[in-house]
Amino acid sequence: MQLVIVESPAKAKTIEKYLGPGFKVLASYGHVRDLPPKDGSVRPDDAFAMDWEIYGDKAARIKAITDAAKTADRLILATDPDREGEAISWHVRELLAKRKALPKDVQRVTFNAITKATVLAAMAAPRALDQDLIDAYLARRALDYLFGFTLSPVLWRKLPGAKSAGRVQSVALRLIVEREREIEAFKTQEYWSVAAKLEHAGTGFTARLVRFEGNKLDRLSLGDEGVAQRARATVEAATFRVDSVETKPMRRNPQPPFTTSTLQQEAARKLGFSTSHTMRVAQTLYEAGAITYMRTDGVQMDSSAISDARRVISSRYDGHYLPEKPRIYETKAKNAQEAHEAIRPVDFSRTTHGSGDEARLYDLIWKRALASQMASAALERTTVSLGEGTGKHELRATGQVVRFPGFLAVYEEGRDQKADADDEDSGILPAMAAGDLPKKHGVEAIQHFTQPPPRYAEASLVKRLEELGIGRPSTYAATIQVIKDRNYVRLEKNRFFAEESGRLLTAFLERFFDRYVAYQFTAGMEEELDDVSGGRAAWKDVLAAFWRDFKPKSDEVMERKPSEVTAELDVFLSDYLFPPREDGTDPRVCPKCAVGRLSLRGGRYGAFVACSNYPECKYTRKFAQGQDNAEGGASEDAVLGQDPVTGQDVVRRSGRFGPYVQLGDGKEAKRASIPKDIPELDLDWALKLLSLPREIGMHPESGKPITASIGRYGPYLAHDGKYGRLRNTAEVFETGMNAAVVRLAEAAAGGGARGGRTATEPLKVVGAHPVSGLEVRLMAGRYGAYVTDGTTNATLPKDKTADTLTIDEAAALIDARAAAAPAKGKKKAPAKKAPAKKAPAKKDAGAGAATAAKKPVAKKPTAKKPAAKKPAAKKPAT
């Protein structure tokens, strides 16, 4: 029997069908082991030795592979054709060797597409494991571990509230933060344009003023309304004739087929997919045999695929759409280990595949790959200049006409910004000649304002990372997901906004570890890792060079006092935290006491700004309020009115953890946080918040009270120790008895968890189980997310997220949980009896209380046998 190892069960099932009898194909379900998430897993002082740990949910999978390997004559490692695939094969081989189950004949095969012909051809040309790729994986994994596990403890102790840092993720975060700074520093400028609405031969068009009073106009030349209106009046009064008509032919060539990064960018632009979702859908298409491997930097297609594409083009379009020779594209990627074939359809004659997002992504891939082999588009750009008698003023109209669409008949690449499209050039101009006098229908002066650079979207962030050479396209989805999961950034309308925690972390790294978040350094490290994968550098030498400088730097920062770190960050961030005031007064003067000075402080829950006159003055504001509250207005105490019952002031205040309202003073004062969804805080809202919890009434069945209030996780209902979530703050005060009873019943049906969901809606429907066919859903549970097929529940590991979870991974979790769980009911009884059947002298000492109660007399002699206990105690240490 020949044992074949692949990553996913879907791929295993397909390949086993292709190979036929004599082959057994098993799936590893991705990586089987990793460095344990604890200190000491990589030991620089021991030649960078590494300890590996099997993933908890992979034990059953490894056992199945081990059992099969013991009876196999040949082991074929057929994981994905990239560095990670090579690493998975290496891990499987090492585990089997450690368990003395490794067959004598071990070979590696790779294929770029899952078709019968491709798989059989790969099986006929096996090779050995590529040690250079394995070394590159080891170097990258160790480097990321050393960076994260060395720097994160520094953050935890010196920067309260910080979670962790990563070699690539911190640089990606820095890009987002720097763009935020650019936007904040941007000074908007007003400018105007003047446009005339003209008509000739029945066709209307627009001409813009490009010369005024003998001066050539650039974008900001007409800087105020007065000048713009004078220019408009001049154009309105003058008569303009055509001075010249210039026509230039243009050609546009198609883009090459998709690489990993260009697929992520285009799917974000055109389909609205996140990078992680794009890769998940692409993985499904690859495993279904619809497309080639989707982690690649290569832009070239196989010669047979090019012939296939050209055949489809000639059958669908006339001969003009097919170039005389096939188009050959050259990759710009430096890392040859990932320079595989581009992403393309396996069969160009298959114009559609699947449904939903799979169908949409396949259509995008098919069109891009087909268009890459089509003829260039022929366009014609026309520029018409119009002048008046004095020669001091000039209008210009431009238009672009597609004379032959070529590849544009199938596909046109999207753009990151709508502003990139030159709308003025896209119109069609009427045929005109020098001396023509177009009819004027009106002139308008249009006000504009310069815009700051746009915030990054996922597509533009991926593009920028690739331009800088930071990370690798196959890692971008995971990198972006990490900074989102750790709340360093947030996405609003598909744009990244830097959160205060992300901004503070970036400032800390720039101040104390500037070299290691520098773009050039990170890109240089990628080149060194590529040198390892290409056999041009030794992986331990690369690690040693990094560690030699990084460890002393981290030790130096660790020795600093937290107060010293905060003081330096206070200076580093002074322009952001204390921007200049318009009246010229000192922005650091406390707005409450007018005596103390404001500065950055570190607290248990993160950084904040406080007055130096503490404890006399207890003014504080959140770190992120530096811009909004530069004048201190929003942070100052404000009396909203008086409580009609007690006559005491109701005060709005701002604390370290956000704004709140307070009634009274001292220890007896009542306080309530102000929820973000209150439209406008006034006395009525303040009194409502201070009155919580609100009693709705007695439950009709239990007779116990139902209350509504606002807690740490938002608005909720409470009844007899059970909870139900409310959607917003308004519902706390509006929910009646009937609605409350229904909401609590729904929460109980969903598990009755504290802060529970109001309905048992899944977080996500992952898909159908590949074996049972049952629907697999991702649910929110009391102790975290879990996956279920309706029969078995399995906890979602911490390294998995809803966005990155695949059906194969979910199925593996469920299968592993089902295999580990005891059968219901009767199987537990024999387990209890088993110790009693064996020698009681050994077992009774460690038996439960119930067993001890049954045979007290028999246990007395066994207590005198310490010799039997000592070897048992030593056993775990061996």
Side-chain angles (χ1 to χ4, degrees):
M1 185 264 291
Q2 300 185 59
L3 177 62
V4 181
I5 304 299
V6 296
E7 282 97 338
S8 75
K11 191 193 296 188
K13 187 176 181 181
T14 303
I15 292 174
E16 191 167 74
K17 181 177 65 177
Y18 292 156
L19 297 178
F23 287 87
K24 184 176 182 64
V25 185
L26 294 179
S28 69
Y29 286 81
H31 272 286
V32 294
R33 63 179 187 173
D34 196 8
L35 297 170
K38 62 182 181 181
D39 192 32
S41 294
V42 178
R43 300 185 297 280
D45 296 335
D46 188 15
F48 296 98
M50 301 184 207
D51 294 328
W52 300 98
E53 181 180 73
I54 297 175
Y55 286 119
D57 59 342
K58 296 294 176 68
R61 188 62 41 197
I62 291 300
K63 185 179 185 304
I65 293 173
T66 303
D67 291 344
K70 288 178 179 178
T71 60
D73 303 315
R74 180 188 179 205
L75 175 65
I76 303 170
L77 301 167
T79 49
D80 287 343
D82 60 2
R83 181 190 292 128
E84 292 301 310
E86 206 75 17
I88 293 171
S89 288
W90 175 77
H91 278 300
V92 171
R93 186 190 70 178
E94 293 297 296
L95 277 172
L96 292 178
K98 188 176 181 180
R99 298 184 177 203
K100 298 181 179 179
L102 188 67
K104 291 183 179 179
D105 188 5
V106 179
Q107 294 178 326
R108 171 86 165 108
V109 301
T110 59
F111 34 82
N112 197 44
I114 304 176
T115 64
K116 186 172 183 177
T118 306
V119 170
L120 294 180
M123 289 293 178
R127 62 169 173 82
L129 281 171
D130 189 327
Q131 191 59 47
D132 289 336
L133 291 188
I134 295 168
D135 288 349
Y137 160 78
L138 293 173
R140 184 180 294 274
R141 190 66 195 91
L143 187 64
D144 290 339
Y145 172 91
L146 291 172
F147 190 98
F149 274 84
T150 303
L151 192 53
S152 293
V154 178
L155 294 175
W156 300 335
R157 297 181 190 181
K158 309 303 176 185
L159 194 69
K163 296 177 181 178
S164 65
R167 183 178 61 88
V168 176
Q169 78 190 44
S170 297
V171 181
L173 175 62
R174 181 183 180 182
L175 280 171
I176 295 170
V177 170
E178 286 191 342
R179 179 56 54 89
E180 202 75 35
R181 293 172 185 162
E182 290 177 46
I183 293 170
E184 290 166 357
F186 185 82
K187 303 297 182 185
T188 299
Q189 286 184 270
E190 177 187 13
Y191 69 98
W192 292 71
S193 63
V194 174
K197 301 295 183 181
L198 306 176
E199 181 188 332
H200 184 74
T203 300
F205 63 99
T206 300
R208 297 192 177 273
L209 183 65
V210 295
R211 185 180 295 276
F212 177 57
E213 295 179 343
N215 299 315
K216 184 179 178 181
L217 301 181
D218 58 29
R219 189 174 64 158
L220 301 178
S221 294
L222 304 180
D224 59 67
E225 185 177 8
V227 176
Q229 291 299 342
R230 191 172 85 248
R232 186 199 65 78
T234 300
V235 174
E236 184 72 55
T239 300
F240 286 85
R241 294 180 180 274
V242 175
D243 283 342
S244 65
V245 178
E246 183 181 5
T247 301
K248 288 184 177 180
M250 300 171 58
R251 294 178 68 82
R252 283 181 59 186
N253 297 321
Q255 295 292 324
F258 283 129
T259 62
T260 301
S261 65
T262 54
L263 176 64
Q264 291 172 352
Q265 293 170 49
E266 197 72 338
R269 296 183 193 113
K270 290 191 171 181
L271 306 180
F273 289 0
S274 67
T275 52
S276 57
H277 185 64
T278 298
M279 297 308 293
R280 186 164 57 251
V281 176
Q283 177 83 32
T284 304
L285 291 173
Y286 167 65
E287 292 179 357
I291 64 170
T292 54
Y293 192 55
M294 67 290 162
R295 291 188 178 91
T296 175
D297 287 330
V299 293
Q300 184 57 276
M301 294 197 300
D302 182 76
S303 58
S304 62
I306 293 176
S307 299
D308 190 17
R310 288 173 63 84
R311 191 162 44 249
V312 171
I313 294 168
S314 62
S315 66
R316 294 170 67 93
Y317 302 94
D318 65 45
H320 294 92
Y321 286 84
L322 186 68
E324 292 183 7
K325 296 180 180 179
R327 292 187 179 275
I328 305 299
Y329 297 95
E330 293 183 2
T331 181
K332 297 178 181 178
K334 295 179 181 178
N335 51 332
Q337 63 90 20
E338 286 188 347
H340 306 298
E341 192 179 357
I343 304 171
R344 62 165 177 85
V346 168
D347 181 3
F348 278 94
S349 63
R350 186 196 296 181
T351 58
T352 61
H353 176 86
S355 60
D357 287 350
E358 286 183 32
R360 297 171 69 198
L361 191 64
Y362 179 83
D363 181 68
L364 197 67
I365 294 169
W366 183 87
K367 287 179 175 177
R368 172 84 166 220
L370 191 74
S372 73
Q373 289 299 318
M374 294 179 70
S376 301
L379 304 98
E380 189 175 81
R381 179 184 174 90
T382 302
T383 302
V384 179
S385 298
L386 303 98
E388 44 74 62
T390 66
K392 293 182 178 180
H393 315 296
E394 180 185 347
L395 298 176
R396 183 175 297 162
T398 56
Q400 185 171 283
V401 179
V402 177
R403 295 301 183 190
F404 171 65
F407 75 93
L408 294 176
V410 174
Y411 180 86
E412 183 173 9
E413 188 176 39
R415 292 185 168 98
D416 291 328
Q417 299 295 322
K418 291 181 180 179
D420 289 345
D422 191 348
D423 295 331
E424 298 172 37
D425 291 349
S426 61
I428 299 176
L429 297 177
M432 288 181 280
D436 285 345
L437 182 64
K439 185 178 179 181
K440 190 189 302 174
H441 288 293
V443 182
E444 59 181 349
I446 307 163
Q447 185 184 33
H448 308 274
F449 293 95
T450 55
Q451 297 296 314
R455 289 182 171 87
Y456 285 109
E458 288 210 14
S460 53
L461 181 60
V462 165
K463 184 177 181 180
R464 186 62 180 145
L465 287 169
E466 189 174 31
E467 288 173 349
L468 292 171
I470 294 168
R472 283 293 171 254
S474 58
T475 66
Y476 290 155
T479 297
I480 291 172
Q481 192 62 46
V482 166
I483 61 176
K484 289 194 291 186
D485 290 344
R486 290 176 181 166
N487 297 319
Y488 292 149
V489 299
R490 70 180 187 278
L491 266 179
E492 287 185 12
K493 297 181 179 178
N494 294 322
R495 296 285 167 181
F496 284 112
F497 288 74
E499 295 284 20
E500 64 174 91
S501 57
R503 188 152 195 164
L504 186 61
L505 172 60
T506 298
F508 176 86
L509 294 175
E510 286 179 317
R511 173 60 188 83
F512 296 104
F513 294 90
D514 56 327
R515 178 188 178 193
Y516 301 100
V517 290
Y519 303 137
Q520 298 87 345
F521 174 82
T522 309
M525 286 302 305
E526 292 297 342
E527 291 183 4
E528 290 187 50
L529 292 171
D530 292 341
D531 287 340
V532 174
S533 66
R536 298 180 296 275
W539 70 279
K540 291 185 179 181
D541 292 345
V542 171
L543 289 177
F546 165 79
W547 189 247
R548 187 164 46 247
D549 296 325
F550 182 71
K551 184 62 168 66
K553 182 64 178 177
S554 61
D555 290 342
E556 175 197 330
V557 179
M558 183 66 90
E559 290 174 2
R560 290 175 177 251
K561 295 179 180 179
S563 58
E564 294 175 354
V565 171
T566 304
E568 294 206 31
L569 288 177
D570 176 79
V571 175
F572 189 82
L573 290 166
S574 59
D575 290 342
Y576 170 68
L577 296 174
F578 312 106
R581 291 178 175 172
E582 292 183 2
D583 60 6
T585 58
D586 187 351
R588 284 184 178 264
V589 173
C590 177
K592 184 176 182 180
C593 68
V595 176
R597 290 180 60 77
L598 302 180
S599 62
L600 185 68
R601 303 286 179 85
R604 182 179 179 184
Y605 299 103
F608 63 98
V609 172
C611 178
S612 62
N613 199 26
Y614 180 87
E616 287 74 16
C617 177
K618 297 182 179 179
Y619 174 87
T620 61
R621 74 172 187 235
K622 297 174 77 174
F623 170 82
Q625 292 175 335
Q627 295 291 336
D628 298 335
N629 295 327
E631 301 299 326
S635 293
E636 290 178 351
D637 297 349
V639 177
L640 301 174
Q642 285 72 42
D643 177 21
V645 177
T646 65
Q648 293 178 309
D649 286 344
V650 178
V651 183
R652 180 201 185 280
R653 290 184 172 172
S654 183
R656 186 181 307 176
F657 309 113
Y660 64 95
V661 289
Q662 178 174 313
L663 175 64
D665 294 307
K667 294 182 179 179
E668 303 301 320
K670 190 167 186 179
R671 300 176 180 85
S673 295
I674 303 173
K676 293 181 180 180
D677 61 349
I678 290 181
E680 186 175 349
L681 183 73
D682 54 18
L683 179 61
D684 290 340
W685 264 114
L687 291 172
K688 284 182 179 180
L689 294 171
L690 290 165
S691 70
L692 294 177
R694 165 186 168 241
E695 184 171 312
I696 297 174
M698 299 300 175
H699 195 288
E701 294 180 3
S702 68
K704 296 182 179 180
I706 300 175
T707 60
S709 190
I710 301 172
R712 181 179 179 183
Y713 301 107
Y716 67 94
L717 295 169
H719 165 253
D720 193 22
K722 304 292 174 57
Y723 302 86
R725 184 171 295 173
L726 295 173
R727 287 187 290 267
N728 51 54
T729 302
E731 286 193 352
V732 174
F733 304 100
E734 297 170 358
T735 301
M737 176 60 71
N738 291 338
V741 170
V742 171
R743 195 67 64 85
L744 286 166
E746 289 175 343
R754 197 168 294 172
R757 300 170 68 83
T758 57
T760 55
E761 291 294 322
L763 296 175
K764 172 185 175 183
V765 176
V766 187
H769 193 291
V771 178
S772 67
L774 296 173
E775 182 181 76
V776 177
R777 292 162 292 162
L778 179 65
M779 308 294 290
R782 182 172 185 177
Y783 303 107
Y786 66 94
V787 289
T788 180
D789 61 357
T791 303
T792 303
N793 298 343
T795 302
L796 192 69
K798 292 181 180 179
D799 62 338
K800 302 292 181 187
T801 65
D803 283 342
T804 60
L805 182 69
T806 67
I807 182 59
D808 292 334
E809 292 169 338
L813 292 172
I814 290 171
D815 292 347
R817 183 69 185 90
K824 292 181 180 178
K826 297 181 179 179
K827 281 196 177 181
K828 289 186 178 180
K832 289 180 181 178
K833 293 177 182 178
K837 292 178 182 179
K838 295 181 181 181
K842 275 191 175 183
K843 294 292 180 180
D844 283 353
T851 308
K854 289 180 183 178
K855 295 186 179 182
V857 180
K859 287 190 177 184
K860 286 181 182 178
T862 62
K864 296 178 183 179
K865 294 184 180 180
K869 289 184 182 180
K870 285 182 180 179
K874 289 180 182 179
K875 216 169 191 178
T878 57

